[in-house]
Amino acid sequence: MNSDAEKPNGAMNAGSEKNQTEEVREGSFDAESQAGSRLKADGEVGETKLVRQLKNRHIAMISITYSVMISLGEMIAYLPIPGGHIKLAERFVDPAFSFTMGWNYWYNWTVVLPAELSAAAVLINYWNRSVNNAVWITIIGLVVIGINMCGAGVYGEAEFIFASIKVVTITGLIILGIVLDLGGGPDHDRIGFRYWKNPGPFVQFNDIAGAKGRFLGWWEVMTQAAFSYIGTEIVAIAAGEAKNPRRNLPKAIKRVYIRILLFYIGGVIIIGLLVPSNDEHLNLASGTAASSPFVIAIQRSGIKALPSLINACLLTSAWSAGSSDLYTSSRALYGLATAGNAPKIFMKTLPNGLPIVSLVFCSAFVCLAYMGVTSGSNKVFVWFSNMTSIAGLMTWFGICVTYLRFHAGMKAQGYERKHLPFASPLQPYAAWYAACACIIICFFSGWAVFLKNKWDTATFVTNYLPFILFPILYAGAKYHYWRRSGEFYWKRPEDLDFVTNIAEIEAEPDDPPPNTRIEKFWAWLM
């Protein structure tokens, strides 16, 4: 911090043309011959580097997601380090906060994996209820594990294919929905905005009349809405294996919320037009969840064969989500090990950089999905989705806290944020908003169990265990680090480190820019 050249405004002005660099390792990930040193000379496994209606709650969740993503994007585009927001928490808050963020994040993606497998089993039940769900869970689980065992390259290609199917499907469904709403279906029923008026976008909770019933209904489903958005922060974890992170990560951050606006807003508008909010088939706990809102709408219009095609596309989406869950949880555990917050055995990798021990360990949690064989996959999905939603919201809270420290440090040390690869004029207010909103949603997530004669142990545990676990983990880790180092308080903003790894990041070579029109269009699209 002794010269202007070391600061972001100086360094990025001088090297802005070569900011789109590959990942540079920090701390235990230092830049020791990043290509050659990944393989041991004898080829053995070693410790190497990683080669339904448009309701207000959806709008609110989009605004929160947007606030989290611009907070994360500003940090990770400047410091695209392995471990993403978990390592950033160590740098800008303290090691105890990083420990808590890491284990909470690992827990989040470990728990959601069996949830996705349970959801996939429910979707298959749309066609066949005679086969035990354990068979479907086993088949899908083996494919998910197999994709991840093939390495990041195969995983990335598979995700590209799955994502392409999802984009084509949702685009087609939006177009079809518009046609059906205008009376173009076999029944020629011109729906218009009928369901926006009756029964309306809000369902009264437990038939409680008036604003009170609508308010209670809002909080009853906020965690369900959150579940749809959890995972947008994966781009930070992928920074350790991303090419040209200074260029590509800002693009990914920006396009996350653009896609959310296009597909989520577009999708829920169409669903809101086609399906009444009180349709009994929307009740996941009823066992009819294999009928998604779009499938319900298509069936109501009288189209015979298309629901099966849509259900098949939704099945690939659940399959894709399970693959992403395993990828993310294994990398999170690897990151914890490299930071000294998990046993070192989880740092073991194959010669191709695959964190094999972490991957095998995380794969074992696929077995939790078998709970759905006796309890019902739909119920198990609700339990795990609740736990995932709360853990994910606490991850978002941690990202915002980390960003507030990042922002305070830059201000205290005289850095010009406008020179960062990505910056938002809404900061730090957006981070404050998202941090507070996440805590409030978690606090009220399971309030319904406290109503008279409404106690449900499963609901209470799945909603409040992740919420309570976060401060418990932090307090325990804080005590441990205090006993070891004698330091109890966070670092001062004036002492935060914005310099380490910057020179290496900017020195990394960049891929050549696209030249032809097709290449430029593809780069813009992707």
Side-chain angles (χ1 to χ4, degrees):
M1 309 301 288
N2 295 328
S3 69
D4 291 340
E6 292 176 314
K7 295 188 177 183
N9 53 336
M12 282 184 282
N13 283 339
S16 60
E17 296 301 320
K18 50 185 178 181
N19 277 346
Q20 300 94 18
T21 59
E22 265 200 59
E23 182 52 49
V24 175
R25 297 354 187 195
E26 178 202 30
S28 59
F29 296 90
D30 51 27
E32 49 187 60
S33 39
Q34 296 175 22
S37 66
R38 298 186 182 192
L39 306 181
K40 285 193 176 267
D42 55 4
E44 294 177 355
V45 176
E47 296 182 7
T48 63
K49 307 291 189 290
L50 287 175
V51 180
R52 317 178 159 133
Q53 295 269 16
L54 181 57
K55 300 181 174 67
N56 287 341
R57 66 176 180 268
H58 293 107
I59 306 273
M61 195 57 65
I62 287 173
S63 69
I64 294 171
T65 306
Y66 171 80
S67 299
V68 172
M69 291 306 293
I70 60 176
S71 301
L72 176 61
E74 193 166 311
M75 295 186 292
I76 202 65
Y78 174 59
L79 281 169
I81 56 178
H85 52 277
I86 299 171
K87 292 295 291 182
L88 291 172
E90 180 180 358
R91 181 178 282 204
F92 298 121
V93 184
D94 67 4
F97 200 72
S98 176
F99 174 92
T100 306
M101 287 275 288
W103 281 108
N104 179 78
Y105 200 64
W106 173 82
Y107 164 86
N108 178 11
W109 290 103
T110 301
V111 167
V112 75
L113 174 57
E116 298 292 358
L117 297 183
S118 298
V122 172
L123 288 169
I124 294 175
N125 288 340
Y126 178 79
W127 298 295
N128 190 320
R129 288 179 176 268
S130 62
V131 178
N132 193 296
N133 279 345
V135 175
W136 310 128
I137 291 171
T138 300
I139 293 173
I140 298 171
L142 288 175
V143 173
V144 165
I145 295 171
I147 290 174
N148 277 269
M149 284 293 183
C150 291
V154 173
Y155 161 79
E157 291 298 328
E159 283 303 292
F160 177 80
I161 295 172
F162 286 138
S164 299
I165 294 174
K166 286 187 280 189
V167 169
V168 171
T169 301
I170 191 63
T171 302
L173 287 174
I174 291 174
I175 295 172
L176 176 62
I178 295 173
V179 173
L180 296 178
D181 184 68
L182 297 177
D187 59 356
H188 301 294
D189 181 15
R190 187 181 176 90
I191 301 173
F193 291 88
R194 179 190 309 165
Y195 299 133
W196 285 27
K197 298 177 181 179
N198 182 25
F202 280 98
V203 176
Q204 306 296 129
F205 178 79
N206 208 29
D207 295 325
I208 299 174
K212 181 179 180 180
R214 292 193 294 272
F215 174 78
L216 297 178
W218 165 284
W219 289 111
E220 175 69 6
V221 296
M222 279 300 286
T223 53
Q224 297 175 29
F227 181 77
S228 299
Y229 297 89
I230 298 301
T232 53
E233 73 290 334
I234 284 181
V235 291
I237 291 294
E241 296 172 276
K243 291 184 176 180
N244 309 323
R246 280 281 179 88
R247 181 184 67 190
N248 293 330
L249 291 179
K251 285 183 179 180
I253 294 290
K254 293 175 183 177
R255 289 172 186 175
V256 161
Y257 56 81
I258 292 174
R259 289 166 182 162
I260 285 176
L261 289 173
L262 289 176
F263 295 125
Y264 279 71
I265 290 293
V268 296
I269 286 176
I270 298 303
I271 290 172
L273 293 173
L274 299 178
V275 182
S277 58
N278 60 357
D279 191 296
E280 62 180 6
H281 295 99
L282 293 173
N283 184 4
L284 185 63
S286 68
T288 58
S291 297
S292 74
F294 277 115
V295 172
I296 294 170
I298 294 169
Q299 288 178 324
R300 292 170 70 97
S301 71
I303 300 177
K304 301 296 184 180
L306 194 55
S308 289
L309 175 61
I310 301 306
N311 208 63
C313 293
L314 294 175
L315 181 59
T316 66
S317 180
W319 216 316
S320 167
S323 182
S324 294
D325 300 338
L326 183 55
Y327 173 87
T328 308
S329 62
S330 63
R331 268 55 178 187
L333 185 57
Y334 174 89
L336 282 166
T338 60
N341 293 328
K344 291 186 179 298
I345 191 174
F346 294 119
M347 292 174 60
K348 296 289 184 180
T349 62
L350 294 178
N352 64 357
L354 184 72
I356 184 63
V357 178
S358 295
L359 185 56
V360 170
F361 181 77
C362 294
S363 298
F365 288 87
V366 166
C367 297
L368 292 176
Y370 291 110
M371 293 171 60
V373 175
T374 55
S375 300
S377 291
N378 49 351
K379 290 183 180 180
V380 172
F381 175 78
V382 171
W383 294 341
F384 285 132
S385 65
N386 286 343
M387 298 170 76
T388 296
S389 297
I390 302 304
L393 287 167
M394 293 308 297
T395 292
W396 288 1
F397 166 77
I399 289 172
C400 293
V401 170
T402 303
Y403 175 79
L404 290 171
R405 295 284 296 163
F406 175 88
H407 186 278
M410 285 213 146
K411 183 177 180 180
Q413 298 181 31
Y415 290 146
E416 293 287 341
R417 290 176 50 249
K418 65 182 180 181
H419 295 301
L420 293 172
F422 174 80
S424 170
L426 300 178
Q427 297 292 12
Y429 310 107
W432 277 111
Y433 160 69
C436 294
C438 289
I439 292 296
I440 292 172
I441 293 171
C442 290
F443 185 80
F444 287 104
S445 63
W447 64 269
V449 301
F450 299 107
L451 297 178
K452 187 176 181 180
N453 298 323
K454 292 294 182 180
W455 176 260
D456 182 77
T457 302
T459 300
F460 176 81
V461 171
T462 56
N463 279 276
Y464 288 113
L465 176 62
F467 187 42
I468 297 171
L469 190 61
F470 195 93
I472 291 176
L473 282 174
Y474 181 66
K478 193 70 175 174
Y479 176 76
H480 169 74
Y481 285 111
W482 171 71
R483 288 289 302 272
R484 190 172 69 177
S485 67
E487 297 180 359
F488 185 76
Y489 298 101
W490 291 350
K491 298 176 182 178
R492 299 185 309 160
E494 295 82 359
D495 298 329
L496 297 181
D497 179 10
F498 293 98
V499 175
T500 303
N501 301 120
I502 293 300
E504 296 96 321
I505 291 173
E506 294 186 349
E508 284 289 324
D510 189 13
D511 283 351
N515 294 317
T516 67
R517 289 184 178 181
I518 295 178
E519 289 177 348
K520 291 179 180 179
F521 172 77
W522 189 253
W524 171 84
L525 179 65
M526 300 311 298

